[in-house]
Amino acid sequence: SAVISQKPSRDICQRGTSLTIQCQVDSQVTMMFWYRQQPGQSLTLIATANQGSEATYESGFVIDKFPISRPNLTFSTLTVSNMSPEDSSIYLCSVRARDGTDTQYFGPGTRLTVL
Amino acid sequence: QKEVEQDPGPLSVPEGAIVSLNCTYSNSAFQYFMWYRQYSRKGPELLMYTYSSGNKEDGRFTAQVDKSSKYISLFIRDSQPSDSATYLCAMIKGNTPLVFGKGTRLSVIA
C-alpha cells in the first residue's frame, strides 16, 4: 500500500485568494490524481498529475483555475486559484500503486472553505 | 446510462445484520473492481480489491464480482456501528482513471 499525506488538512480562505495543497507519498508511484468531493457527493476527478509534464485535466477543469505540479514521483501540488465560495470542497490526492495491481489509494483530504 | 450505478441509500440496519451493497456497470472493459469505505470528513479507504469473477473474503467482508451480469457486491457480516460510513464502488479499465459509483450511506444501529 501507499501512505499519502496532504497539507494543509483544512483551511478557511477569502474570496479571490489562492491556496496550494501539497501531496506527499511514501513511495514512488506511477500515477497521481487530484479529486474534488463536494458535500454529500461522490468524487470528481480534476486531473491526472504527470511527472515532468503538464497535467491532464478532465472536462470542466482548466489549468488556469487548478494549476498542478508534479516535480517527481512522490510529490504533487494542486493550487485552487482566484477562489469563490463554490470552490468550498474537500480536495483529495490519490495514487495508483506501482505493484501491478492498479490499486488506488487516497490521502486524508484537504477541507477548504471559501468565505 | 451512467457507467457505474450505485444506490445512494441511506441504508439503515440493526447491529449484527448482514449488509449487502451493490453496483452495476455497463462497460464490459472494466477489469479491476474496488470497494472503498469513507467515514465522515475522511479520505476513502480501500477495503477490497478484486480482479476476476467470484468471491474474495477478508474477515467480515466479502466482495463478489459477476462479470457476466456486470454486477458487483460487498457483503458485511455481523455488522457493527463502526461500519457506519459511505461505501463507494469503483472500477478501472486499462490505464485510465477510476470510475466511481455515487456511494451508499450505511448506518448500523446499536
Side-chain angles (χ1 to χ4, degrees), chain B residues 71-87:
Chain B
Y71 188 88
I72 68 170
S73 299
L74 178 71
F75 298 97
I76 307 174
R77 290 184 298 282
D78 186 25
S79 56
Q80 303 295 310
S82 58
D83 295 327
S84 298
T86 297
Y87 291 80

Side-chain angles (χ1 to χ4, degrees), chain A residues 29-50:
Chain A
V29 294
T30 53
M31 301 177 82
M32 294 181 79
F33 307 93
W34 287 97
Y35 287 81
R36 181 171 74 182
Q37 187 175 32
Q38 293 176 310
Q41 302 295 314
S42 190
L43 291 86
T44 301
L45 179 65
I46 297 172
T48 302
N50 300 309

Side-chain angles (χ1 to χ4, degrees), chain B residues 4-41:
Chain B
V4 179
E5 300 273 6
Q6 182 177 10
D7 187 338
L11 179 63
S12 185
V13 302
E15 183 175 358
I18 296 174
V19 176
S20 172
L21 304 165
N22 311 294
C23 289
T24 58
Y25 62 96
S26 57
N27 192 334
S28 58
F30 284 125
Q31 299 169 290
Y32 302 92
F33 305 90
M34 300 171 203
W35 285 95
Y36 291 87
R37 177 175 63 194
Q38 187 174 25
Y39 292 113
S40 182
R41 299 171 179 262

Side-chain angles (χ1 to χ4, degrees), chain A residues 44-100:
Chain A
T44 301
L45 179 65
I46 297 172
T48 302
N50 300 309
Q51 194 250 331
S53 65
E54 194 171 286
T56 304
Y57 290 85
E58 297 299 303
S59 176
F61 297 96
V62 295
I63 187 171
D64 290 346
K65 176 68 176 176
F66 297 101
I68 288 171
S69 79
R70 188 181 173 190
N72 57 52
L73 292 176
T74 63
F75 185 79
S76 178
T77 66
L78 167 75
T79 299
V80 186
S81 303
N82 188 24
M83 289 184 284
S84 66
E86 292 71 37
D87 294 319
S88 297
S89 193
I90 298 174
Y91 292 85
L92 294 145
C93 174
S94 180
V95 305
R96 196 160 294 175
R98 208 178 188 183
D99 58 6

